[in-house]
Amino acid sequence: LDAPEWILAELAVLAKMSSVRIKLLCAQVVNGILGGNIDYAKVEKLTADANLSQTDVKAIIAAIEFCLSSGAKYDVDDTTLCNELQQLGLPKEHSEALARPYKDKKEALRTVFVASTLKLPRIQNVDWRIDYVIGSSDLCEINQPSVQLSLDITDGRKATPVSFEVNADKLRVLFNELKHARTVMDSME
């Protein structure tokens, strides 16, 4: 995939700064990604001598965050990140300055991204009952079992009860589909 155009533009602006200042900026950005606060007073001091506008400073922070976040999300090692940044036009010293804090905090960054990944609801409890209806006032003979399932589904915060009734054929289809889905999921691990 190609890098977004705005990243290319911001890497050119980032190249105007010293590699030491980039390393310090990266530390601020990593702190922000990990849930801390970016110290904008420090950021302003670090970018003051580069003669950058406020917009450029914000764009540089966004570019650094994009590079570090993308690297962590896709489990890129620090050497590959450094090489890719150089291929995008960032000088070697600058790329290494970006890759060092990334290497130090990569696992913490990955932990943050895993925690914020889409999570599906989980089945907390299953209760079932089989009813065998022999007849009713409308029909003389039915002789067909039905299954009532009650599931407690949790999204991490609260459990929601879901109940439904199926006949034997639909239960067999549901069971086989769930087994197939489980096989597919196990093969992906």
Side-chain angles (χ1 to χ4, degrees), residues 118-189:
L118 172 68
K119 293 186 179 170
L120 299 174
R122 297 191 176 271
I123 297 175
Q124 188 174 18
N125 187 29
V126 177
D127 193 21
W128 57 275
R129 183 178 87 211
I130 297 176
D131 293 332
Y132 193 83
V133 180
I134 299 172
S136 73
S137 60
D138 294 337
L139 299 170
C140 297
E141 243 181 75
I142 296 178
N143 287 334
Q144 185 172 352
S146 70
V147 178
Q148 287 200 345
L149 289 171
S150 291
L151 310 172
D152 289 332
I153 298 175
T154 182
D155 62 357
R157 290 172 282 162
K158 64 175 184 151
T160 306
V162 175
S163 298
F164 58 95
E165 183 176 343
V166 294
N167 63 30
D169 292 333
K170 287 185 180 179
L171 180 64
R172 219 173 282 112
V173 170
L174 174 65
F175 181 70
N176 287 327
E177 291 290 326
L178 289 173
K179 275 187 4 185
H180 177 68
R182 180 61 177 252
T183 304
V184 170
M185 288 173 25
D186 288 342
S187 70
M188 295 177 118
E189 291 178 0

Side-chain angles (χ1 to χ4, degrees), residues 25-125:
L25 270 175
C26 286
Q28 290 296 317
V29 172
V30 166
N31 189 37
I33 294 172
L34 295 178
N37 293 321
I38 295 177
D39 186 350
Y40 287 103
K42 276 188 182 178
V43 170
E44 192 174 318
K45 287 178 186 175
L46 290 171
T47 57
D49 68 336
N51 207 14
L52 300 173
S53 69
Q54 191 73 4
T55 306
D56 284 340
V57 173
K58 288 179 183 178
I60 286 173
I61 290 173
I64 293 171
E65 182 175 352
F66 179 82
C67 293
L68 298 176
S69 299
S70 296
K73 284 179 188 175
Y74 298 108
D75 200 18
V76 175
D77 63 272
D78 59 306
T79 307
T80 305
L81 179 67
C82 186
N83 291 336
E84 291 294 325
L85 290 170
Q86 287 177 46
Q87 288 179 6
L88 293 175
L90 200 60
K92 183 177 181 179
E93 308 82 42
H94 292 63
S95 299
E96 289 171 350
L98 238 156
R100 258 181 253 124
Y102 169 77
K103 179 183 179 182
D104 296 341
K105 298 289 186 171
K106 180 182 172 189
E107 290 309 313
L109 291 169
R110 288 196 49 78
T111 302
V112 166
F113 292 125
V114 165
S116 65
T117 302
L118 172 68
K119 293 186 179 170
L120 299 174
R122 297 191 176 271
I123 297 175
Q124 188 174 18
N125 187 29

Side-chain angles (χ1 to χ4, degrees), residues 1-17:
L1 294 172
D2 291 334
E5 293 291 324
W6 69 272
I7 286 292
L8 298 174
E10 294 315 318
L11 289 178
V13 175
L14 196 58
K16 296 177 185 176
M17 296 180 63

